[in-house]
Amino acid sequence: MMSKDFRLELTQRPRRLRRTASLRGMVEETVLRPEDFIAPLFVVDGKAPPDEIKSMPGVFRLNLTDLVRECRALRKAGVPAVALFPKLEPRLKDEEGTEALNEDALVLRAVRAVKKAIPELTILTDVALDPYTTHGHDGVLTAGGDDVDNDRTVGILSQMAVLQARAGVDLVAPSDMMDGRVGAIRRALDAAGYSGTGIMAYSAKFNSGYYGPFRDAVGSAQAAGTRLLSKATYQLNPANRREAISEALLDEAEGADIVMVKPAGMYLDIIRDIREATRKPVAAYQISGEYAQIHAAARLGWLDLARCRHESLLAIKRAGADMILTYFAREMAEALR
Ligand code: PBG
C-alpha cells in the first residue's frame, strides 16, 4: 500500500531549477535573437498591391516599392538579412532560363533598390534557374530532356552569380545542388573582381515534399503538360545522412563561407552532424511547408501559433544552426523585442 506521505530520498531533484521563472531563465541554454533570422521575400514586377500566397498566410509577393518598405520594417525589427526570390511572369520563362542572365532582371533591380534604401541590410539571392525555366528545374536539361545538364548549368550559374554580385548582393546562395558549382562560382566571382562577395551554399538540400508552397509562390511547380517535377537527380535523398555531411565538406573545400541545411525542422540531426563536421557557420532554412503546417494547424485551432513558431525555431537553433532563414522572421523579431 502506497502511503499518503510517501517520500523519495533523492539527492538530485532536477525540478528545483524549474521552480520559478527566474531560475528557469538562469539555466536557459538556447536563446533566440532577432539577429538569428534571415527573411525570405518574394518579389514581383509591376505595381500590383501585395498578393498573399494562399498556402503561406501572411507571406506576400511584393512589388519593388513594397519590398523596400518591408525591408525597412525588418531592419527596424532587428533582422539583419533578407533573401530575395523573384516570381516571373510566365512570358519571361523559357527552356533555358535565359532571363536569369538579363542584366536588368527583376531580382537585380530589387537588389539595387534595397541596397540603395537600406545599405546596412545584408542581401542574399538564390543562384538557381528554377524561377526562370518553363519546366521548373534548377538547371538546363540534357538533349534527351530527362536530366539536368550539370556542367552547362554550372556555367550559367557562375555568370548569374557575377551579375548578382555586381548588383550589390552580399551573399550569393547557390540552391541548385549541381556538382562543382560552389568552386566555379567562387572562381567566377574572384575573376570578376568580387572576392568580397560571400557564398552561402545550400549544401544539404533535400528532395523534400515540403517545398510545395514555395513552388506555388514562385510558379516553379511544374510546367503545364509535363510530367511531375522530380528533383531527385540533384537534391539529396531524405534517407541520407553521411551524404549530407560529405556535401557540406565538399562545399567548404570549394570555398563556401556558410553551409546550409534545408529543410530544417525535420533535419535537426543533419544540422547537428554538419555543425560538428565543420567550423564554418551553419545556416538552416525553415521552409515553406514547415511554415504552412504550423499555420494550417493553428487555423484549425489545433496548435497555438505563437508557441509553436517559437518552439520550431528554438529547436533549429538548439540543433546547432547559427542563423535561420524563416518566413516568421519579422514577427519573431518583433515578438522578441
Ligand atoms: C529552388 C529553391 C527552392 C526553395 C528555395 N530555393 C525549392 C525547390 O528546390 O524547388 C524552397 C524554399 C521553401 O520551400 O521555402 N532553387
Side-chain angles (χ1 to χ4, degrees):
M1 271 285 267
M2 207 65 96
S3 110
K4 221 170 56 214
D5 38 38
F6 179 79
R7 285 281 174 267
L8 291 169
E9 298 212 348
L10 292 181
T11 307
Q12 285 296 348
R13 285 188 182 268
R15 287 186 57 209
R16 279 182 201 123
L17 296 182
R18 297 177 207 143
R19 203 167 48 82
T20 67
S22 142
L23 281 165
R24 289 193 294 274
M26 290 165 69
V27 297
E28 186 158 87
E29 299 175 41
T30 311
V31 181
L32 290 169
R33 312 167 304 156
E35 293 77 13
D36 296 330
F37 306 122
I38 299 169
L41 297 172
F42 297 106
V43 50
V44 287
D45 227 329
K47 300 222 176 322
D51 170 24
E52 191 168 27
I53 297 150
K54 273 195 192 59
S55 49
M56 302 176 74
V59 179
F60 297 83
R61 301 186 188 93
L62 304 170
N63 68 37
L64 290 185
T65 311
D66 292 327
L67 174 75
V68 169
R69 186 172 304 136
E70 178 63 19
C71 288
R72 280 211 179 87
L74 282 158
R75 185 66 217 141
K76 193 159 163 257
V79 174
V82 296
L84 304 180
F85 295 96
K87 158 91 163 70
L88 265 65
E89 294 161 46
R91 63 175 181 85
L92 291 174
K93 300 188 185 195
D94 59 27
E95 282 275 308
E96 296 278 301
T98 315
E99 178 65 12
L101 297 184
N102 177 352
E103 298 193 13
D104 214 31
L106 171 62
V107 76
L108 302 177
R109 282 181 279 128
V111 170
R112 291 193 286 261
V114 174
K115 252 304 155 207
K116 189 165 166 219
I118 315 133
E120 68 280 15
L121 190 69
T122 293
I123 306 180
L124 289 80
T125 42
D126 248 36
V127 185
L129 293 180
D130 54 302
Y132 301 96
T133 54
T134 38
H135 43 72
H137 278 290
D138 289 35
V140 293
L141 303 182
T142 54
D146 55 353
D147 194 10
V148 171
D149 186 332
N150 188 95
D151 297 10
R152 208 155 65 81
T153 296
V154 170
I156 298 171
L157 298 181
S158 305
Q159 289 174 263
M160 203 177 159
V162 170
L163 292 178
Q164 294 175 350
R166 185 174 303 151
V169 162
D170 300 282
L171 294 166
V172 297
S175 65
D176 54 290
M177 290 298 283
M178 297 306 137
D179 294 336
R181 89 278 204 218
V182 171
I185 288 171
R186 185 67 273 157
R187 285 190 293 279
L189 290 174
D190 291 349
Y194 299 106
S195 55
T197 305
I199 301 177
M200 178 189 284
Y202 284 71
S203 298
K205 177 171 180 182
F206 289 89
N207 183 26
S208 174
Y210 294 83
Y211 299 142
F214 176 95
R215 292 179 189 171
D216 291 341
V218 302
S220 68
Q222 96 188 81
T226 60
R227 62 196 180 304
L228 205 70
L229 183 64
S230 166
K231 301 195 176 187
T233 70
Y234 42 103
Q235 299 180 347
L236 285 169
N237 179 347
N240 291 0
R241 194 173 153 192
R242 290 193 309 263
E243 193 183 357
I245 301 171
S246 131
E247 278 280 8
L249 294 177
L250 263 179
D251 285 351
E252 180 178 354
E254 287 180 31
D257 300 284
I258 301 171
V259 293
M260 191 213 289
V261 177
K262 173 181 177 195
M266 294 79 79
Y267 295 83
L268 298 180
D269 56 331
I270 309 292
I271 296 174
R272 171 57 51 184
D273 285 338
I274 291 180
R275 169 68 291 148
E276 284 168 5
T278 177
R279 289 180 178 156
K280 292 290 174 194
V282 176
Y285 196 144
Q286 182 183 53
I287 61 160
S288 56
E290 299 178 69
Y291 178 87
Q293 278 183 313
I294 294 175
H295 266 283
R299 281 200 168 183
L300 287 165
W302 293 354
L303 289 179
D304 180 88
L305 180 78
R307 274 193 76 175
C308 294
R309 178 179 70 194
H310 189 274
E311 187 177 335
S312 66
L313 293 164
L314 192 68
I316 295 165
K317 186 164 181 191
R318 192 193 60 229
D322 298 288
M323 58 195 94
I324 307 171
L325 292 98
T326 173
Y327 301 97
F328 289 126
R330 178 167 158 199
E331 57 189 274
M332 268 304 297
E334 286 170 351
L336 288 169
R337 294 243 132 170

